[in-house]
């Protein structure tokens, strides 16, 4: 399988493709990609004993990444234009690696792009220096959904034959399973309509998110545990001020573990309110 980086939608290959107008990378990028960034936890030496005090856990710095690439052929100028347009927008871009270890993603900030064109031989070489502010690698996004809690119908009495055993209800609970080696945050999307808001409870930790605000039919309230914010439909429409409880720390899926969330609608329900969990395994 060919190792491949897709940076801001532009494919770059880690193995020589022997073809024109194809971007190739050297091995430095993939070495950086699988490295663990430096610890930012200070070591305090013991003043009157050998060694240092223990560290509860190592927190990681942002991860620097360097991509050195080249492309040959008559299309080198259009490749240069595409790279400048994609990497110079000023926003973080997505870097995705697909290789024998699977698919992994990071959001990266482009710190510098340095092209070295050689028009005489139709070759473009370049260097991209970037930083992943979150050093973890994330796999493909996974989702799980549930509707509002409902009671079952039970067994009727007097009994008849053949016996109707009733229909089961819905607990209103949904579970996210993290196959990764690091905790990963949940994104919880509540589809309206709920005229008084919603309460979300993580069962294991008991953590709660309580939103006292209507969620109209056709709109979604998105609870993003990675940034501790809730918004209606788009990130620019922040409604975090309506949170009466905001215990975000409990909405992280443990490494090699799972989180179960209880969906508690408030007020009158219209339409088909649902809760959808989204998460990505972290490594």
């Amino acid at each position: 399988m060919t190792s491949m980086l897709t940076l801001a939608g532009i494919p770059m290959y880690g193995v020589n493709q022997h073809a024109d107008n194809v971007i190739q990378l050297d091995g430095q990028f993939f070495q950086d990609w699988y490295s663990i960034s430096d610890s930012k936890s200070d070591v305090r030496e013991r003043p009157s004993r050998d060694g240092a005090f223990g560290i509860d856990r190592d927190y990681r710095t942002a991860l620097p990444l360097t991509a050195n690439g080249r492309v040959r052929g008559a299309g080198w100028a259009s490749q240069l234009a595409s790279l400048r347009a994609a990497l110079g927008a000023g926003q973080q871009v997505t870097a995705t690696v697909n290789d024998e270890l699977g698919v992994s993603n990071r959001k990266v900030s482009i710190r510098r792009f340095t092209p070295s064109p050689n028009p005489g031989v139709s070759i473009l070489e370049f260097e991209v220096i970037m930083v992943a502010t979150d050093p973890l690698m994330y796999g493909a996004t996974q989702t799980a959904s549930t509707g509002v809690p409902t009671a079952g119908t039970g067994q009727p009495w007097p009994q008849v034959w053949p016996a109707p055993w009733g229909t089961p209800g819905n607990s209103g609970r949904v579970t996210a399973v993290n196959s990764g080696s690091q905790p990963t945050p949940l994104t919880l999307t509540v589809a309206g309509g709920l005229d008084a808001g919603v309460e979300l409870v993580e069962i294991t930790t008991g953590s709660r998110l309580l939103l006292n605000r209507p969620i109209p039919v056709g709109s979604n309230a998105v609870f993003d545990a990675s940034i501790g914010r809730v918004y209606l439909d788009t990130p620019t429409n922040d409604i975090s001020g309506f949170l009466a409880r905001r215990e975000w720390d409990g909405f992280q899926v443990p490494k090699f573990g799972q989180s179960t969330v209880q969906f508690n609608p408030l007020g009158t329900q219209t339409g088909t309110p649902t809760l959808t969990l989204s998460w990505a395994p972290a490594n």
Side-chain angles (χ1 to χ4, degrees), residues 20-181:
D20 288 348
N21 302 319
V22 175
I23 298 178
Q24 299 176 183
L25 296 176
D26 66 12
Q28 176 67 47
F29 173 80
F30 296 97
Q31 176 181 322
D32 290 349
W33 186 260
Y34 288 112
S35 297
I36 297 176
S37 58
D38 295 341
S39 171
K40 61 182 179 182
S41 298
D42 291 335
V43 173
R44 292 195 303 125
E45 297 290 340
R46 297 180 185 272
S48 57
R49 290 180 56 188
D50 295 332
F53 292 102
I55 298 173
D56 179 54
R57 66 162 294 175
D58 282 318
Y59 289 95
R60 297 290 164 189
T61 63
L63 180 67
L65 302 163
T66 300
N68 292 297
R70 65 190 182 278
V71 60
R72 74 185 188 202
W76 71 267
S78 62
Q79 291 278 20
L80 174 56
S82 296
L83 286 165
R84 282 179 52 84
L87 304 181
Q91 301 294 322
Q92 287 192 330
V93 298
T94 299
T96 301
V97 166
N98 189 355
D99 59 13
E100 289 84 352
L101 294 177
V103 178
S104 52
N105 302 277
R106 285 186 171 104
K107 290 287 189 182
V108 298
S109 171
I110 305 300
R111 312 310 295 171
R112 184 175 178 83
F113 170 64
T114 307
S116 300
N118 190 338
V121 291
S122 298
I123 288 178
L124 167 67
E125 296 180 328
F126 63 86
E127 179 183 63
V128 183
I129 298 175
M130 58 197 110
V131 172
T133 52
D134 180 349
L136 297 181
M137 299 184 301
Y138 292 90
T141 300
Q142 302 178 30
T143 61
S145 299
T146 186
V148 299
T150 58
T153 59
Q155 183 181 4
W157 188 262
Q159 183 66 274
V160 296
W161 189 261
W165 300 108
T167 58
N170 177 35
S171 66
R173 294 185 177 185
V174 60
T175 298
V177 179
N178 179 17
S179 59
S181 60

Side-chain angles (χ1 to χ4, degrees), residues 127-259:
E127 179 183 63
V128 183
I129 298 175
M130 58 197 110
V131 172
T133 52
D134 180 349
L136 297 181
M137 299 184 301
Y138 292 90
T141 300
Q142 302 178 30
T143 61
S145 299
T146 186
V148 299
T150 58
T153 59
Q155 183 181 4
W157 188 262
Q159 183 66 274
V160 296
W161 189 261
W165 300 108
T167 58
N170 177 35
S171 66
R173 294 185 177 185
V174 60
T175 298
V177 179
N178 179 17
S179 59
S181 60
Q182 299 293 329
T184 189
L186 284 170
T187 298
L188 310 95
T189 302
V190 176
L194 301 171
D195 74 346
V198 66
E199 179 189 50
L200 305 173
V201 182
E202 204 289 315
I203 298 301
T204 303
T205 63
S207 297
R208 297 170 60 201
L209 299 172
L210 178 60
L211 179 69
N212 290 329
R213 183 199 187 282
I215 307 172
V217 174
S219 288
N220 295 310
V222 181
F223 299 76
D224 189 342
S226 67
I227 58 174
R229 307 285 285 276
V230 57
Y231 59 86
L232 192 68
D233 296 326
T234 64
T236 56
N237 191 12
D238 193 304
I239 55 173
S240 301
F242 293 94
L243 283 172
R245 296 288 294 270
R246 50 182 79 203
E247 297 164 355
W248 293 104
D249 288 346
F251 290 85
Q252 304 277 332
V253 191
K255 63 180 182 180
F256 303 123
Q258 64 183 37
S259 291

